[in-house]
Structure formats: C-alpha cells, structure tokens
Amino acid sequence: MTAERSHKMKVNIKHSGKTHPVEVDPSKSVSIFKDAIYQVTGVPPDRMKVMIKGVLKDDADLSKLGLKPVIGTAGPLPSAPTQQITFLEDMDQDAVALAEGNPPGLVNLGQTCYLNSTLQALKTIPQLNVALDSFSSSSSSPESKVTNSLKNLFSGLNQTADPVPPFSVLSNLRLMAPQFAETDNAGRYSQQDADEAWTQLLSALKLSLGSSSGADGPIDKMMGLELTSKLQCAEAPEEPATTSKERQLKLQCNISINTNFLVSGILDSLNQQIEKTSPSLGRMAVYNSESRLSRLPQNLVVHMVRFYWRRDIQKKAKIMRKVKYPLQLDTIDLATEEVRSQIQPVNSAVKQILKERDVRAKIIKRNAGKATSDDATKEVDIRREERKKIEDLVKEKGIDGENNVSGMYELYALVTHKGASADSGHYIGWTRKESEVPVASGEEEWYKFDDDKVSVVTADKILSMDGGGEDSVAYILLYRYVLRATFS
C-alpha cells in the first residue's frame, strides 16, 4: 500500500478469486470508495460488503481504519447456534424482512405513500447517493434543507432493517412547496401526486447540488436529457423551419385511445401541433413540432401521463388504458438522426451482448442456479471483455462517455398508483433486486415497497402493472443505461 501526495492510496480488493487495485482517498466518504469498487467489480454498492474488521458502514471514517479491504472472503467456521432456531413461517413480517435481508421500508405519516414510493425509487440511483454523501452546505434555503434531509434519510436507511419515518424530508418538503401541506375538511393531510413530489425533490436537488461554475451539475449529468426540436409551418411549407434545444429531467408518455406501447406514447408527446403567428402568412397558423433526443442520459425517467383534469367533476381523473412497457428499453428511435447514426454500432453490439448474457444465465438456471466460484470468476472476466469492446467502439465513434453510449436501458425502479383518482388511491415503490449470479432478463426479482411493508416479487408482477383497471398501474418508470463504458 503506497500513499500519494494527495493522501490517496492504492488498496487491493479481492472479489471472486481476483485481486483489483483501487485508489481510495481516506478523506472522502465510504460511498465514493464503494463507487470506485463498483467500477472494477460490477458489484452494486447496495449489494456490497467491504470487510475491515467487520462490515464497513456508510458513515465510517476511512482515515481511522486500517485499509486492507476484502470482499467475499471466507470468515471463520460458524459455531453452533446459541438461540433456538425460528423458521420463517413462525416469524412476523418485520422479522422475516430482517432474516431475508430485505431493505427497510418507510413509515406512512398520514397519506404520504406518494412520498415514500418516490423516495425508494430515488434511492436506487447510485450517482445520487454519491452526490448526497459529498453534499455539505451552510445555506438555510428550503432546497438545501430538503437535500440535507434526503442525505440523512438515505444514510439512515443503509444502517437499519427497521422501517424509518421520513419526518425531516416531509416537513422540509412542505416548507419548500406548501401544496404538500394541504388538508381536507376534516383537517387531515390530503393525498398528493407522486410525480409532483418527484419534480419538486429533483428541483431542490438540482439547485443544491448544482455546479458553481455554470457547468452541468450532478443531477443534469445523471438524469438530464436534451431535446432538439424542429418547428415547421404546416400551412406554408416554404417558410424556413426553426430549430431549438431544451434540457429536461424526464420524458412524458402521452396516453390516447391509440396508445398501446411505451415508445409510441413517448413519440406522441414528442410530435405535437401548435398554433402561432406565421411571419410569412401574417396570421395565426398551424405548426408541426418534432422533438428528438440529442442527449441520452445515464438514467432515464418516464412519466406515464395517466391523470387529466375533468371539468365536469372538477377533479383529476385517471386514464386506465393498458400501455405495455419493456424491462429493456431501446431508445434509438427516439434519438436525432445524428445521434442515431453515431450510436448504431454500439447499440447493435450491446444488444448482442445482452442476448449472450441471457444464454449464460439460463444455463446456470438449468443447473439449479449452482454457480461455482469458477463460474463467477469467468463471468467477471467476460464482462470485463464486454466493457472493453464497448469502450473501444465508443472511442472509435467519438461518443461522449458521460451519456448513454448505446441507447439501451434497463428498468430498475418504478412508482405505481392504485385507484381511480389522483386525489385518492395508494402509491407503491418497486426496485430491482440485484442478484449475485447472472439472471436472464424477465427472471429478475424485485422489492415491493408498500410503505413500511417490504416483500419480494417476480418480474412477471412488474410487467403486469401496465393498466386496464384500478389495480396498481405504472406511473413513473426509472431506467438506467446498460453496459456502462468506463474510462480511466
């Protein structure tokens, strides 16, 4: 272990029989250290156990530890149990969650399922956790208070198996956005819209974590997409078209009587007709607006526009129509022609890699899921070669490695709504459970966060929530890019 001038040092990480050198700065947080380990091992931080005389906790001070971390090494042989063995069927729900290692839920503080489900989805974004760990501010602005309360909540969730009440996040959200403090005639807090909560939280995070230099801040880097729009007058084709660019943090999926699939609903939102004054005609005229993605973010958020205002009942009504969404999303048809032609070779390569991964995963499943240490080591080597192949393609094509270089995404969190109205019903959060062995697409397990109740479901359940009734239906979808190309 050699120390450098900046106090950084090299440590050896042992994983699946391989040793990986990782650079660590003891003055930084544990989350930053874990993210560095993630880059070389592919083990997600929430599935990671770093052994340094016990399990390394997220609030530990790295500068006070003897850094000789090992992941996945064997400990001493277990001793005989000192307490009576209790079977799962004899345990209550909290005991089962602790025994199975389920993550903690969030306590409903009175019509706050909209917030709890949103928070569980946000917590799955690794880049956000890293940014929050580094956040420090003396500002007393409402946005800074919300950001600091999110930091403390996420840190607390990493250190317990018990449900956590998000008091601080809720109170600061209500101070920043008073609509979340609305009450009904009986003085009880009203149900709120999860998408509105998502928007307000992201707005606070973007402002608090933003770059002082004017460059893209962490939120823009991890979730910011760019739309390039072309506006053409439908009544005067000879009139020159105008082009503009716009940054957003999510896509909309419009739902009409013709919408059956996610991509078609997104395209419907990107292709619009508007009226504005035509300089060539000297009057109001119809214009066709076509927008496409000119920047593909690391994390893609899609809002299913299921609520609309009904004047006759003076309430937000819900669109029940069934709209299918995929576990793996190809966005190449949503991109501009320039981006599409640039990423096409990488897109094809990634699709082939994903197919080959599914084949290997199904072989392991046929062997009753018995992946040996040799299998795990082989898989790590294969995935390193896969990333190297993608990295070489990205460099060859001159693609910005900070973005999604292939246009391929995988679903890893969603928020659903159950009921017929935005002012009532129930929100639930769902996040993908990371597996220690390769799993084919469509065979993953997922966590269901029903406030403080956490359980595990299959991917079939996730795909079944596409609408058609008042049961839980997908409302916010969170996709992440697959096969990230890493650069030194």
Side-chain angles (χ1 to χ4, degrees), residues 16 19 23 52 54 61 66 72 159 165 177 180 201 234 278 298 354 379 396 401 471:
S16 297
T19 299
E23 188 175 74
I52 307 179
D61 186 347
Q159 301 173 47
F180 294 101
L201 291 173
S278 167
Q298 301 170 6
L354 292 176
E379 183 67 24
E396 177 187 334
D471 202 355

Side-chain angles (χ1 to χ4, degrees), residues 140-403:
S140 59
S141 69
E143 292 79 10
S144 291
K145 289 182 177 179
V146 167
T147 302
N148 194 58
S149 61
L150 284 171
K151 173 182 178 178
N152 294 334
L153 176 66
F154 288 178
S155 176
L157 287 170
N158 291 333
Q159 301 173 47
T160 184
D162 299 323
V164 176
F167 286 118
S168 182
V169 175
L170 180 62
S171 59
N172 284 314
L173 176 63
R174 285 172 173 168
L175 287 173
M176 181 183 73
Q179 69 264 32
F180 294 101
E182 292 176 353
T183 57
D184 59 21
N185 294 332
R188 296 169 299 195
Y189 285 110
S190 301
Q191 175 69 286
Q192 300 291 337
D193 189 327
D195 178 65
E196 292 178 4
W198 180 283
T199 300
Q200 290 291 340
L201 291 173
L202 263 294
S203 177
L205 288 167
K206 181 177 179 179
L207 186 62
S208 301
L209 300 174
S211 170
S212 59
S213 65
D216 286 347
I219 297 299
D220 283 318
K221 287 183 178 179
M222 69 181 80
M223 303 175 73
L225 57 91
E226 182 183 73
L227 290 175
T228 296
S229 301
K230 178 181 178 182
L231 198 61
Q232 179 72 60
C233 183
E235 300 179 49
E238 70 282 357
E239 184 178 303
T242 59
T243 302
S244 61
K245 294 182 182 292
E246 180 185 8
R247 285 290 186 95
Q248 296 182 6
L249 294 178
K250 62 184 173 185
L251 286 176
Q252 305 281 3
C253 174
N254 288 348
I255 302 175
S256 69
I257 59 173
N258 299 315
T259 308
N260 296 312
F261 300 97
L262 179 71
V263 171
S264 63
I266 295 174
L267 285 171
D268 185 54
S269 72
L270 297 178
N271 300 327
Q272 298 286 321
Q273 280 197 336
I274 63 172
E275 284 192 359
K276 68 185 232 40
T277 302
S278 167
S280 64
L281 298 176
R283 59 173 174 82
M284 295 293 290
V286 175
Y287 281 76
N288 292 322
S289 174
E290 181 183 280
S291 301
R292 292 294 183 269
L293 288 162
S294 47
R295 179 183 186 272
L296 300 170
Q298 301 170 6
N299 301 275
L300 179 66
V301 181
V302 182
H303 170 216
M304 309 288 285
V305 186
R306 288 201 170 270
F307 297 118
Y308 69 101
W309 184 256
R310 281 189 57 177
R311 294 183 180 179
D312 55 337
I313 61 174
Q314 292 295 296
K315 283 185 178 180
K316 280 185 178 179
K318 186 175 180 180
I319 302 172
M320 303 292 187
R321 185 175 179 81
K322 185 182 289 286
V323 179
K324 294 187 177 298
Y325 50 89
L327 294 175
Q328 292 180 348
L329 174 65
D330 186 355
T331 60
I332 197 164
D333 289 336
L334 304 176
T336 61
E337 290 185 10
E338 180 183 2
V339 171
R340 195 182 310 153
S341 61
Q342 189 179 41
I343 69 173
Q344 181 64 67
V346 187
N347 179 273
S348 299
V350 167
K351 285 180 181 177
Q352 182 60 36
I353 288 172
L354 292 176
K355 288 180 181 178
E356 293 169 357
R357 285 186 177 182
D358 280 353
V359 171
R360 297 196 301 272
K362 289 175 180 177
I363 292 174
I364 291 176
K365 184 180 180 180
R366 283 200 297 270
N367 294 331
K370 296 177 181 177
T372 65
S373 58
D374 288 340
D375 292 331
T377 300
K378 183 179 179 181
E379 183 67 24
V380 169
D381 290 339
I382 292 174
R383 295 201 175 197
R384 185 181 294 110
E385 293 172 3
E386 291 171 347
R387 287 192 174 90
K388 180 64 168 61
K389 177 180 179 180
I390 297 303
E391 182 178 331
D392 291 343
L393 262 178
V394 168
K395 289 180 178 179
E396 177 187 334
K397 299 299 179 181
I399 304 172
D400 185 354
E402 288 292 322
N403 304 330

